[in-house]
Structures are given as C-alpha cells and as structure tokens.
Amino acid sequence: MCELLGMSANVPTDICFSFSGFLHRGGGTGPHRDGWGIAFYEEGGYRDFRDPYPSVNSPIARLICDYPIKSNVVISHIRQANVGGVRLSNTHPFMREMWGRPWCYAHNGQLSSWENLPLGSYTPVGSTDSEHAYCWLLGELRRAFPTPPDTLESLWERLHQLCEQLRALGVFNMLLSDGHYLYTFCATKLAHITRCAPFGDAELSDAEMTVNFAEHTTPDDIVSVIATEPLTHNEAWEKMVPGELLVWRDGEIQARYCP
C-alpha cells in the first residue's frame, strides 16, 4: 500500500528532515515506486510537487530536501499502485477548491465498490479509487454545507461520519487540509509525534541522518508529524486507533472523534 506523511506546526517550518527519510520508502527501503507528491500551505498560498517516478531517485524529491520551504501544514504521499495506472494524474496529493480555499487530500488504502459512490460537484481527473472517494467526500461536505458552516464542530462531525462510510468500503487512511486545519483519519495505520520544548535529537529509521531540533527551534515552537509508520527510531510515536479522526491546528490536537 501507499504511505502518508503530514505536518502541522505553529510556526512556518520546513519538513526536510522527515521528508529525507520518507522519500527512501519510495523505492529504496520500501516498495512504493509508483509516484509521490508533496503539498505546502504557505502564507498567502498553496503549492505542490508531484512526480510519477520513485521518490528515492527523483531530482524533484532531492530539491525538496535541499530547499527548506517553510509551511504550517504539509501533506505528502508515496504511491504503490493498486487502482489506476502509473501516471501523473493518479499521483497524490489531490487538490480541489471549496469555499474559496484549496483543499488538499491524500489516501492510503484500497476501497471496494468505490465506483458506486455518487459524484456531485467534483469529478476525478485520474482513474484511482482514491481520487473518486475524494471527489465524493468533498461533494458531500459541500452538499451539507453550501457555505462555510456556522460551527466548525458540525463540519468535523460530518467529516468523521463520511470517513467512517469510506472505511466500511475497505482501507481508508487519509490526510486532508484546507490550510488552516489538518485532518488525519485512521482506518488501519497512522502514527504521530509532537515535538516541543525541551527539544532533543531525532534519528531517522530509513536514512543515516540525525538532527538536534534544539539547534533549529525556539522554546515556543510546536511541530507535529504524522506518518503511516514512525520515521524515527529513538522517539515515542503514538498510534491512532481505527476509526479515529484527529483535527490539528498549529501543531496541536483541537478535536478527536472516535467510532
């Protein structure tokens, strides 16, 4: 299956360290050779990079490691194709507009009977179950809330319900963001870690790299990283439980929904 990587931080932060380990799983230490992508929400805008080739050999991936893009929210994905061919249109993350904001999404897993999910406002560009599910999910949210909801809690509750419907069709691990909040939903496997003062050393599991975060942060920084599998072997990662939705902002959990 594919793997996911996300970040939520209270200050613009680069993801070079985590991504340096993550990209090795795309054809190096892992079998996910069928494309990769990464999206950044920056002040005043959104940008992404996608490539249908293995991340471990990708010049674009090396650029991301060497170019410290500062962001409060990041979503990344490495693909092992199950549904849909290996091409750029099937490469995550996917983005659509809703309520005047770019919503970014990546999915790990495989769904059954996904073709039966009725589409409304959004249509897939590629041929994956992941993108079809995303178009259905965002369309259902837009149908429930034609304009931004009066309360965020109503949006979060509805999102959790829709994610549970998709989980009933198979494996649905998901990252989703509008640039303000990062939503992480676990069907089978997601883990997270929050780094804050006092900061210490972290050692990657997939590459020979160690960083002392105390040298690159301030005492007020809070940075949370979410991944399919823990990226470091000397830190305590917390595993999400199946059916759990976490709502993140500024590196901290704002809400938690369980089945």
Side-chain angles (χ1 to χ4, degrees):
M1 287 191 184
C2 310
E3 290 204 23
L4 301 170
L5 170 65
M7 184 190 78
S8 172
N10 69 336
V11 293
T13 304
D14 73 70
I15 199 170
C16 295
F17 175 72
S18 295
F19 187 72
S20 294
F22 188 63
L23 71 85
H24 281 278
R25 299 179 179 180
T29 59
H32 315 90
R33 302 183 56 85
D34 301 324
W36 68 276
I38 189 167
F40 300 89
Y41 285 94
E42 303 167 67
E43 185 177 358
Y46 163 97
R47 61 174 150 179
D48 63 30
F49 302 83
R50 294 185 297 145
D51 194 349
Y53 304 106
S55 57
V56 71
N57 300 322
S58 170
I60 303 175
R62 288 197 296 271
L63 167 68
I64 301 301
C65 293
D66 296 334
Y67 181 25
I69 298 172
K70 303 287 188 178
S71 178
N72 290 83
V73 178
V74 176
I75 289 178
S76 185
H77 178 275
I78 50 177
R79 184 174 185 234
Q80 184 177 15
N82 291 306
V83 178
V86 179
R87 56 180 181 267
L88 188 60
S89 61
N90 290 334
T91 304
H92 308 219
F94 303 107
M95 191 276 285
R96 297 290 191 278
E97 176 276 335
M98 184 166 68
W99 307 323
R101 297 197 59 80
W103 285 71
C104 175
Y105 154 102
H107 164 234
N108 161 30
Q110 190 170 355
L111 305 175
S112 62
S113 303
W114 54 274
E115 304 96 330
N116 298 328
L117 294 169
L119 300 178
S121 304
Y122 301 96
T123 303
V125 175
S127 55
T128 64
D129 54 345
S130 300
E131 189 184 13
H132 188 106
Y134 176 45
C135 290
W136 173 82
L137 175 67
L138 221 57
E140 289 297 298
L141 286 177
R142 196 158 201 163
R143 187 166 66 87
F145 307 103
T147 59
D150 294 331
T151 65
L152 287 171
E153 289 76 12
S154 61
L155 170 64
W156 299 344
E157 290 172 1
R158 183 59 181 143
L159 176 60
H160 184 242
Q161 293 168 0
L162 295 171
C163 288
E164 284 284 69
Q165 286 183 244
L166 290 170
R167 183 166 75 106
L169 301 181
V171 178
F172 186 73
N173 301 297
M174 178 204 74
L175 303 182
L176 174 71
S177 181
D178 66 345
H180 293 309
Y181 293 90
L182 173 66
Y183 304 97
T184 64
F185 181 79
C186 175
T188 55
K189 192 182 296 185
L190 271 180
H192 57 88
I193 187 169
T194 297
R195 299 184 179 115
C196 55
F199 292 94
D201 292 347
E203 300 176 2
L204 289 175
S205 301
D206 298 270
E208 293 184 4
M209 184 180 294
T210 301
V211 66
N212 181 358
F213 284 112
E215 298 176 354
H216 304 278
T217 55
T218 74
D220 298 324
D221 292 0
I222 302 172
V223 181
S224 292
V225 177
I226 302 94
T228 301
E229 296 279 4
L231 293 166
T232 58
H233 58 75
N234 67 324
E235 297 179 291
W237 291 67
E238 182 179 346
K239 293 183 178 180
M240 293 180 63
V241 300
E244 182 179 41
L245 173 73
L246 297 180
V247 181
W248 303 81
R249 182 160 188 176
D250 295 335
E252 299 184 271
I253 296 173
Q254 306 295 308
R256 185 188 306 264
Y257 294 86
C258 296

